[in-house]
Amino acid sequence: MTHLKPETMGQQFGRRSWAEPWKIKMVEPLRMISREERERALVEAGYNTFLLRSDDVYIDLLTDSGTSAMSDRQWAGMMLGDEAYAGSRNFYHLEEAVRHHYGFRHVLPTHQGRGAEHLISQVAIKPGQFVPGNMYFTTTRLHQELAGGHFVDVIIDEAHDPEDLHPFKGDVDLDKLGALIERVGAGQVAYVSLAGTVNMAGGQPVSMANVRAVRDLCARHGIRLFLDATRLVENAFFIQEREAGFADRSIADIVLEFCSYSDGAWMSAKKDNLVNIGGWLAVNDDDQFEELRNLIVVYEGLHTYGGLAGRDMEALAIGIEESVQDDHVRSRIGQVRYLGELLTDWGIPIVQPVGGHAVFLDARRFFPHIPQDEFPAQTLAAELYLDSGIRSMERGIASAGRDAKTGDHNRPKLELTRLTIPRRVYTQAHMDVVAESVKAVHDGRGSTGGLRMTYEPKYLRFFQARFERL
Ligand code: P70
């Protein structure tokens, strides 16, 4: 038997290894049920990973949303909750943290990201207006549409090609944006909706040069620019890594500069900001803030809690500060990249370059024999769960929903299955297990058939839709 000399990851790549900038203080046992039990659970869940019980899941890569491990400082902060209905001291800590790290003047807490999306959409969109954005996100677009807006995708074409290696696949195509403004008139553009990183494109970043150019174009036409700041910290890492002139700037500094080109932002704090629940909305304009501050009491709660407990706001304020630390972001994205590099090495089709929060399997190339109308990405999520109890998420035709006018499926170019990595939760060994399971499903791909949708809810159908094998 040949004896292979074991090498660390760093040695394999000819460099010193890095490690997470924390140690583990508390653990939560994992359980893996048998293949027969998984088969039963999957049928019961209608082949939809959103409908599985988490007790039946081994490694949960459904989402990075609300699944982070909080730090000891955040947990200590939870004990300092001031649960006053009005004017909680934790609100002021949160307000200060957002002002300091994102640079906006006015801050409102919300129960999570979509609460903030709802408010900004209601206040900033007049029915019939257009909302250009760098690729749709499910909840964002829905709130824009519910407010009477029409979303228009103005991302660069490269973003729709999983194999294109453009370093900033989240960039706005300025010609597309310019042409829209020309066509409908600046008065009919509600605002530009810019997300960094772009979730549906594979966690792809926007460059600083691009946000500056978008800001200039908006300023020339008197159009506002709002950010989806959900994963802006991860976006800043890619700017630091890839954009000339930023290698020596801190992540915190890059985030602040990026925000300075915008008029405000909404945030799902369940991602970058390292909390299990929460969000915020921040704007600079005084009049717009007045309107939002009034509307929030209808839908979320008083403007000093917005649907959160005092303790949640404290954990969030601390999470914001921890989230912009360079060593944290480096190890977080390093772990995602580790999984991506393993799969790439083994010839498994994934979205390139590997993004910030997840590795996206390219289900079109994974299952070339399954037509898009038979849900290849949904099928892949189901097969992965069957193989090893790993839970992933469909980001393809089921997620894209139907065209509001024709009623037909939207058929996105990207048909992806997302392996989303929670922050500070899993180890490198878990990544190895995940990679091996993806490989096993890939090895057996020829015999896998597609799915048929048997139940389709009206809104955001992917959450609750049911399927069966064809
Ligand atoms: C995910 C989560 C949430 C999200 C986001 C961006 C870029 C806003 C939000 C909304 C949860 C999710 C949401 C819809 C479909 C599937 C999963 N993304 N903007 O897993 O924030 O969830 O706090 O209301 O990614 O990607 P919230």
Side-chain angles (χ1 to χ4, degrees):
M1 214 174 99
T2 43
H3 176 74
L4 292 176
K5 191 163 148 262
E7 284 197 325
T8 67
M9 275 314 293
Q11 286 163 343
Q12 289 175 41
F13 287 94
R15 52 170 161 75
R16 291 295 288 264
S17 292
W18 55 267
E20 289 79 6
W22 37 258
K23 55 185 176 174
I24 296 165
K25 185 163 352 208
M26 192 188 282
V27 297
E28 178 182 339
L30 295 178
R31 194 172 72 100
M32 198 209 243
I33 58 176
S34 68
R35 187 171 173 107
E36 293 69 45
E37 289 171 307
R38 290 201 294 278
E39 183 82 57
R40 248 198 316 277
L42 194 60
V43 171
E44 218 166 275
Y47 291 85
N48 185 347
T49 51
F50 279 107
L51 300 179
L52 289 167
R53 290 167 182 249
S54 91
D55 274 348
D56 294 337
V57 171
Y58 173 45
I59 298 175
D60 201 348
L61 306 186
L62 182 71
T63 178
D64 62 332
S65 183
T67 52
S68 297
M70 292 209 297
S71 69
D72 49 359
R73 287 181 63 235
Q74 285 178 290
W75 279 108
M78 294 284 281
M79 297 304 291
L80 302 176
D82 168 7
E83 306 304 345
Y85 189 92
S88 159
R89 95 171 64 87
N90 312 116
F91 165 73
Y92 297 102
H93 296 166
L94 170 61
E95 183 183 53
E96 176 51 30
V98 174
R99 281 182 177 158
H100 184 72
H101 286 293
Y102 292 86
F104 300 113
R105 290 178 54 203
H106 303 296
V107 183
L108 292 167
T110 60
H111 78 281
Q112 61 182 76
R114 70 199 72 179
E117 289 173 339
H118 171 222
L119 298 175
I120 193 72
S121 302
Q122 291 296 325
V123 164
I125 300 171
K126 291 196 196 78
Q129 282 187 321
F130 295 84
V131 190
N134 55 343
M135 198 172 274
Y136 86 99
F137 185 71
T138 51
T139 56
T140 316
R141 182 179 65 187
L142 180 60
H143 281 297
Q144 291 164 350
E145 287 172 353
L146 290 172
H150 304 290
F151 174 81
V152 182
D153 187 5
V154 293
I155 202 166
I156 56 172
D157 288 338
E158 288 87 338
H160 293 280
D161 177 357
E163 294 176 77
D164 194 291
L165 292 176
H166 193 293
F168 290 102
K169 278 168 103 172
D171 279 0
V172 167
D173 183 327
L174 294 161
D175 292 338
K176 285 186 194 169
L177 179 56
L180 175 75
I181 299 171
E182 189 92 333
R183 184 165 65 80
V184 305
Q188 275 301 94
V189 177
Y191 56 87
V192 172
S193 173
L194 187 75
T197 59
V198 181
N199 193 350
M200 302 301 280
Q204 304 294 336
V206 178
S207 64
M208 195 70 91
N210 191 249
V211 67
R212 285 179 189 146
V214 173
R215 191 276 312 258
D216 289 349
L217 185 60
C218 286
R220 278 205 299 284
H221 293 279
I223 297 169
R224 288 207 168 123
L225 170 58
F226 289 112
L227 302 178
D228 182 332
T230 297
R231 298 184 183 87
L232 195 59
V233 169
E234 292 171 3
N235 196 99
F237 170 85
F238 291 111
I239 290 177
Q240 187 189 58
E241 180 183 65
R242 297 178 187 169
E243 196 164 350
F246 290 95
D248 296 329
R249 301 264 302 272
S250 67
I251 300 271
D253 196 30
I254 295 170
V255 168
L256 205 53
E257 180 182 334
F258 201 100
C259 289
S260 73
Y261 301 124
S262 74
D263 298 287
W266 63 88
M267 179 74 179
S268 171
K270 301 167 72 173
K271 282 81 162 178
D272 268 358
N273 287 170
L274 298 166
V275 286
N276 302 124
I277 192 71
W280 48 262
L281 176 60
V283 295
N284 287 331
D285 184 83
D286 295 340
D287 295 336
Q288 197 159 51
F289 175 62
E290 271 310 307
E291 253 189 277
L292 290 164
R293 196 168 79 140
N294 192 219
L295 197 61
I296 198 171
V297 299
V298 182
Y299 292 105
E300 300 282 313
L302 188 67
H303 58 278
T304 55
Y305 77 86
L308 296 177
R311 56 180 173 271
D312 296 330
M313 292 189 284
E314 190 62 29
L316 173 50
I318 298 168
I320 288 173
E321 195 194 307
E322 292 181 358
S323 73
V324 298
Q325 303 304 319
D326 284 59
D327 54 357
H328 157 67
V329 190
R330 202 177 309 120
S331 85
R332 186 272 185 290
I333 294 183
Q335 186 177 44
V336 176
R337 199 169 275 177
Y338 171 72
L339 176 61
E341 280 170 354
L342 279 180
L343 297 178
T344 306
D345 265 9
W346 298 345
I348 290 162
I350 65 169
V351 174
Q352 300 285 359
V354 177
H357 64 303
V359 173
F360 289 71
L361 303 172
D362 184 354
R364 274 182 195 277
R365 282 184 293 151
F366 204 105
F367 292 139
H369 56 289
I370 302 182
Q372 191 169 26
D373 282 23
E374 294 175 13
F375 306 98
Q378 190 79 35
T379 305
L380 181 47
E383 289 301 319
L384 271 176
Y385 174 72
L386 261 189
D387 179 72
S388 59
I390 289 164
R391 171 153 71 172
S392 57
M393 185 193 291
E394 194 265 8
R395 302 276 71 176
I397 187 169
S399 293
R402 289 185 185 272
D403 185 287
K405 276 206 199 99
T406 67
D408 193 12
H409 290 302
N410 289 318
R411 290 189 180 75
K413 282 198 184 141
L414 296 174
E415 179 68 28
L416 310 173
T417 304
R418 189 179 75 173
L419 300 165
T420 337
I421 315 299
R423 295 167 185 77
R424 310 194 289 205
V425 170
Y426 292 113
T427 67
Q428 189 158 314
H430 290 110
M431 297 302 111
D432 289 342
V433 168
V434 171
E436 288 176 20
S437 174
V438 174
K439 186 172 182 312
V441 174
H442 192 247
D443 289 345
R445 63 192 177 280
S447 57
T448 307
L451 296 169
R452 187 170 75 85
M453 194 166 14
T454 56
Y455 165 67
E456 179 175 358
K458 185 168 163 206
Y459 297 114
L460 303 172
R461 63 183 185 180
F462 54 91
F463 279 130
Q464 292 146 339
R466 300 185 69 82
F467 302 82
E468 63 185 23
R469 277 195 201 282
L470 277 166

